[in-house]
Amino acid sequence: MDNNIIVGTAGHIDHGKTTLIKALTGEDTDRLLEEKERGISIELGFTHLQNEETDLLNLNLGIVDVPGHQKFVNKMLAAAGGIDLALIVVAADEGVMPQTKEHLSILELMGAEKAIIVISKKDLVDYEWLELVKLDILDQFENTFAENAEMITVSAVNGEGIAELKTKIIELASNTKVSSNSEIPYYPIDRVFSLKGQGTVVTGTLFKGELFEGQELELYPSAKKLKIKSMESHQKKLKKVSSGSRVGINLNYPDKNEIKRGDVISTADSLISTNFLEAKLKVLNSINFKIENGDRIHFHTGTTEVMGTINLYGEQVAFPGDEIFIKIKLDHKISPYYRQKFVIRRFSPLDTIGGGEILEIDPPPRRKINPEKLIAHLNLLEEADLKTALELFIKNKTGSAAELIQLKKKTALKIEKILELLSDLKEENKIFELKNDSSFIHTDNFKKVEKDIKEIVNDYHQQHRLEAGITREEIRSRLDFDLTKKELDQVLEILTTDKLLQEKDSLIAASNFSVQLTEKEKKQKQFILDKTNNNYFSPPTRKELLAENEDLEAVINYLEDNSELVRLDQELYFDKDIFSKLQKLLRKYFRENESIELAEFRDLINSSRRYALVLLEKCDQLQLTLRRGDLRYPGKNL
């Protein structure tokens, strides 16, 4: 498998970054007329390094050249997140300069781990001066990720040191870990343009996952559908590219004006588009100002730059060197991933404040949570491995179960990888699965739901002593925790299996509950049954019974629930054996008669038309009789 590595330059303006890239690759990355006229890089430049050794190692080395001018730090930030190996360029005649240090800080904040310090313009200084520059670099790079980086002195003019630098780049790149392809594709766009005969083309570095020719994808944060027509990396047409690749994509998307730098391409339903983020901010030691709650900032991640407001958790002010949890409210939606690196800069002047990792994307409202608990949660997320993070995301869903698609968006992992981690969490009894591979609840939240359901059931028993239990839908309507019907069914199945609840005739009851009639209620029960049986085919209506004693309502409902009375409409109740008696009467009748009409049926049961009609229609439903016009004939169940 090819190893795709992005090598990026960093350093002060006019320290020879672009000239160095040309000496390494033979290509000039300054493509704009203004860049050539002014002699400075304004936009990102891209090329690649290829020779026999890279081919032998299956090494694809993309080169990103960044502008060094302070005005174009935002362009440098658009590239920094994808850099695997940094070439920190320091001109021998000037030494470490302000943008050298700012670029170094940005690379560190963006998670860069490997660097080569390239001292350029060696031909302009003598040996003693060069040694002083090296000592200054050692001093100024102390306690940074580049403090132990190898220094290589070069002259792009006469080629001195270029071969050694190439060898070192290839050596470090070949030992750089390739990103896992268990993650969804994440492709931040840094350029958009049109090519005649091809249409819309975008360029960028594939941060995560894989992309395929013909793949149907989405553009974030707009969630517009698009499709890959073709891909090219290092001037080669490719059917498939993997993480770390510098790649141009020809899109099946008609309007390039709807795509901009900072947009992200990924698979459908893979990313959250949001204005809100929670993160850990590391404030640079080198700044000479403080950060206050509500400060306006420039937020940078991937190739995105967006304005926003910063809120500090637990503090009102942050000072140089502080590390603090923050919430960021952005002016426009972005689509980042969990643990994506970011940098924030001052609103004005444009100084770099610091950076860190995104921990919560689109966090829930925090009004009811105390700061200590929130900070503890974010601390856990910061330290968590992927499985623990997944558990925390599920646990943090305190008002509903976590849907699989939500977990995919929260973690930026492929479904297959998420299911693997969820399986481990289930085996460890940390989560419950509520719907087959689609919704999950943390054990702590399940215990709360269990407690709430038992309280709802017990409360219902107290209010409705003579009812066998409560319906599932009634439980669902009373729960604060938002469960779908299927999710509640699974919760109740777990609770009844564990004998914490019982179910009878689709009603839920406490495990030790049974209806107990008082002596008074027993007498009321017998009174109702006597009234019903004494007037077998024309019993008193519900209204008539309640007119005699309004306290009978609960006992009437009890008799219906226990099938001791059969209810045929809003008001009419009959003895439980009514239809077995009707069956005998009808059998006897049809032995001597071919059919029966309503009036005849009324006379047969010696009742009124009202009772006869209701009973006969129920006989039709039970197929004791078969209706044809105004006549009934023997049904198949008679």
Side-chain angles (χ1 to χ4, degrees):
M1 184 176 70
D2 286 353
N3 197 1
N4 302 298
I5 302 297
I6 301 298
V7 180
T9 62
H12 199 75
I13 184 174
D14 203 30
H15 274 208
K17 295 184 294 297
T18 304
T19 306
L20 174 67
I21 297 305
K22 188 173 182 179
L24 286 168
T25 67
E27 291 195 31
D28 186 354
T29 54
D30 281 349
R31 53 190 171 80
L32 302 178
L33 178 62
E34 184 181 358
E35 289 177 315
K36 296 185 182 299
E37 288 177 346
R38 295 174 62 182
I40 61 171
S41 297
I42 297 171
E43 278 289 351
L44 298 174
F46 306 100
T47 183
H48 69 285
L49 174 61
Q50 183 178 9
N51 57 28
E52 290 181 2
E53 191 173 358
T54 61
D55 291 343
L56 186 65
L57 294 169
N58 293 321
L59 192 60
N60 293 325
L61 291 177
I63 308 287
V64 182
D65 185 27
V66 305
H69 197 288
Q70 196 273 342
K71 288 183 178 180
F72 306 127
V73 169
N74 62 326
K75 307 291 174 63
M76 185 270 177
L77 278 158
I83 292 174
D84 301 300
L85 171 60
L87 301 183
I88 304 170
V89 182
V90 180
D93 59 336
E94 288 192 329
V96 176
M97 298 290 283
Q99 287 314 119
T100 316
K101 297 173 76 172
E102 185 170 20
H103 281 199
L104 181 65
S105 297
I106 289 169
L107 286 169
E108 187 154 29
L109 292 170
M110 284 297 198
E113 296 179 354
K114 293 186 177 182
I116 300 171
I117 301 167
V118 183
I119 303 175
S120 62
K121 305 186 181 183
K122 176 184 180 181
D123 53 296
L124 298 183
V125 299
D126 58 26
Y127 175 80
E128 287 77 10
W129 180 264
L130 189 60
E131 291 304 304
L132 287 173
V133 169
K134 289 180 180 179
L135 290 172
D136 184 48
I137 291 172
L138 288 173
D139 181 53
Q140 304 231 34
F141 283 20
E142 189 177 5
N143 298 321
T144 73
F145 82 101
E147 67 177 345
N148 295 317
E150 186 165 338
M151 292 186 202
I152 297 177
T153 56
V154 303
S155 169
V157 174
N158 60 33
E160 188 177 353
I162 297 298
E164 181 189 355
L165 178 57
K166 281 185 184 180
T167 300
K168 192 63 183 178
I169 290 171
I170 293 168
E171 177 192 329
L172 287 180
S174 63
N175 292 317
T176 299
K177 184 181 177 182
V178 182
S179 299
S180 166
N181 284 323
S182 64
E183 298 159 315
I184 59 150
Y186 192 88
Y187 178 86
I189 295 168
D190 53 44
R191 277 201 299 160
V192 187
F193 53 93
S194 293
L195 286 178
K196 190 174 181 180
Q198 294 190 48
T200 302
V201 176
V202 295
T203 66
T205 300
L206 182 58
F207 278 24
K208 294 173 174 286
E210 298 172 315
L211 293 174
F212 305 88
E213 185 180 291
Q215 192 174 11
E216 293 184 351
L217 299 161
E218 277 191 11
L219 180 71
Y220 292 90
S222 63
K224 292 175 180 176
K225 307 292 183 186
L226 46 78
K227 186 175 181 180
I228 296 177
K229 288 165 64 176
S230 62
M231 296 184 291
E232 184 177 302
S233 181
H234 307 319
Q235 300 174 358
K236 295 178 182 177
K237 294 281 187 183
L238 298 173
K239 299 284 186 182
K240 169 186 170 182
V241 295
S242 54
S243 56
S245 299
R246 178 75 204 167
V247 59
I249 304 176
N250 182 203
L251 294 173
N252 186 1
Y253 197 85
D255 189 355
K256 77 174 183 67
N257 295 317
E258 292 184 0
I259 304 175
K260 63 184 183 302
R261 171 185 284 173
D263 286 348
V264 174
I265 291 175
S266 188
T267 46
D269 294 323
S270 293
L271 299 173
I272 299 171
S273 297
T274 183
N275 298 86
F276 298 95
L277 305 167
E278 289 175 337
K280 178 75 169 286
L281 172 66
K282 181 179 181 181
V283 184
L284 293 177
N285 280 307
S286 56
I287 65 172
N288 58 3
F289 54 90
K290 62 185 178 182
I291 299 96
E292 298 185 10
N293 238 346
D295 276 356
R296 294 285 287 164
I297 50 107
H298 293 260
F299 179 86
H300 299 263
T301 192
T303 58
T304 298
E305 177 185 3
V306 60
M307 297 290 296
T309 304
I310 186 172
N311 291 100
L312 313 176
Y313 283 152
E315 302 289 345
Q316 291 298 312
V317 180
F319 297 94
D322 281 354
E323 293 189 24
I324 189 168
F325 291 110
I326 61 171
K327 181 176 183 177
I328 300 170
K329 181 182 179 182
L330 301 171
D331 293 357
H332 303 288
K333 287 186 176 182
I334 66 168
S335 301
Y337 57 86
Y338 170 58
R339 288 189 180 268
Q340 187 167 354
K341 303 289 186 179
F342 70 91
V343 166
I344 59 173
R345 306 183 80 211
R346 257 175 129 178
F347 177 69
S348 181
L350 281 171
D351 299 319
T352 299
I353 293 171
E357 285 185 337
I358 298 169
L359 298 176
E360 276 275 14
I361 302 166
D362 198 32
R366 303 296 196 186
R367 292 184 297 275
K368 295 182 181 180
I369 188 170
N370 64 58
E372 291 79 12
K373 188 174 180 180
L374 174 55
I375 289 170
H377 167 70
L378 293 173
N379 256 320
L380 288 173
L381 270 180
E382 184 191 13
E383 300 297 327
D385 57 19
L386 280 174
K387 185 171 74 172
T388 306
L390 195 64
E391 181 192 350
L392 289 169
F393 288 137
I394 296 170
K395 187 176 182 179
N396 201 38
K397 291 282 289 182
T398 54
S400 63
E403 297 284 339
L404 184 62
I405 197 68
Q406 295 170 332
L407 297 175
K408 178 184 177 185
K409 292 178 179 181
K410 280 282 191 181
T411 60
L413 293 172
K414 289 181 179 177
I415 292 292
E416 298 82 1
K417 181 63 177 177
I418 295 173
L419 291 175
E420 178 187 320
L421 296 173
L422 289 172
S423 178
D424 291 344
L425 290 172
K426 282 189 289 183
E427 287 184 12
E428 295 166 11
N429 296 318
K430 292 181 177 177
I431 62 169
F432 287 91
E433 182 179 333
L434 297 188
K435 286 194 297 184
N436 187 31
D437 282 350
S438 65
S439 115
F440 304 86
I441 181 172
H442 194 270
T443 300
D444 291 354
N445 295 337
F446 185 89
K447 288 177 181 176
K448 183 180 184 307
V449 170
E450 174 191 319
K451 178 174 176 288
D452 290 350
I453 289 175
K454 289 164 73 175
E455 286 178 357
I456 289 168
V457 171
N458 288 328
D459 181 61
Y460 192 86
H461 287 329
Q462 289 180 3
Q463 295 179 37
H464 306 275
R465 290 181 40 260
L466 300 185
E467 292 185 23
I470 183 173
T471 65
R472 290 165 179 261
E473 196 54 40
E474 180 76 8
I475 292 173
R476 195 158 76 93
S477 69
R478 295 190 185 194
L479 265 179
D480 288 334
F481 202 88
D482 185 19
L483 293 173
T484 67
K485 184 179 181 301
K486 287 185 177 180
E487 288 169 347
L488 179 62
D489 287 346
Q490 183 62 28
V491 171
L492 292 176
E493 183 180 332
I494 293 168
L495 296 181
T496 53
T497 300
D498 292 344
K499 300 191 182 308
L500 299 172
L501 295 174
Q502 59 174 312
E503 181 176 12
K504 182 180 180 182
D505 298 329
S506 299
L507 294 175
I508 305 298
S511 58
N512 59 351
F513 177 79
S514 63
V515 175
Q516 300 292 329
L517 296 178
T518 64
E519 289 303 316
K520 178 183 177 182
E521 288 163 345
K522 288 176 183 177
K523 291 178 182 178
Q524 290 174 332
K525 170 187 172 181
Q526 194 57 51
F527 171 80
I528 295 166
L529 292 177
D530 288 346
K531 282 279 190 178
T532 303
N533 288 323
N534 290 341
N535 302 276
Y536 202 83
F537 290 111
S538 52
T541 64
R542 182 186 183 94
K543 186 176 181 181
E544 289 168 342
L545 286 169
L546 293 177
E548 292 192 45
N549 185 346
E550 61 183 19
D551 289 344
L552 296 176
E553 183 166 17
V555 181
I556 293 172
N557 292 337
Y558 164 79
L559 291 170
E560 181 185 353
D561 290 343
N562 286 274
S563 302
E564 293 189 60
L565 289 180
V566 177
R567 185 176 189 172
L568 293 189
D569 71 6
Q570 193 71 17
E571 286 290 321
L572 296 181
Y573 292 85
F574 294 86
D575 182 84
K576 63 181 178 179
D577 296 325
I578 182 72
F579 292 105
S580 62
K581 291 197 176 184
L582 280 176
Q583 192 176 37
K584 291 177 182 178
L585 285 173
L586 287 168
R587 279 177 182 166
K588 183 178 179 182
Y589 180 87
F590 282 127
R591 279 199 289 268
E592 300 174 3
N593 301 277
E594 183 182 358
S595 64
I596 191 170
E597 58 183 17
L598 178 60
E600 293 169 330
F601 182 73
R602 178 198 63 203
D603 295 340
L604 178 66
I605 63 173
N606 191 24
S607 185
S608 68
R609 188 178 190 281
R610 178 191 180 187
Y611 289 98
L613 181 60
V614 170
L615 288 168
L616 196 52
E617 286 178 344
K618 189 65 178 180
C619 286
D620 293 339
Q621 291 178 24
L622 296 172
Q623 296 185 333
L624 298 176
T625 54
L626 174 63
R627 182 174 181 175
R628 291 176 184 164
D630 292 333
L631 298 176
R632 263 78 174 185
Y633 296 87
K636 70 177 185 178
N637 292 332
L638 188 61

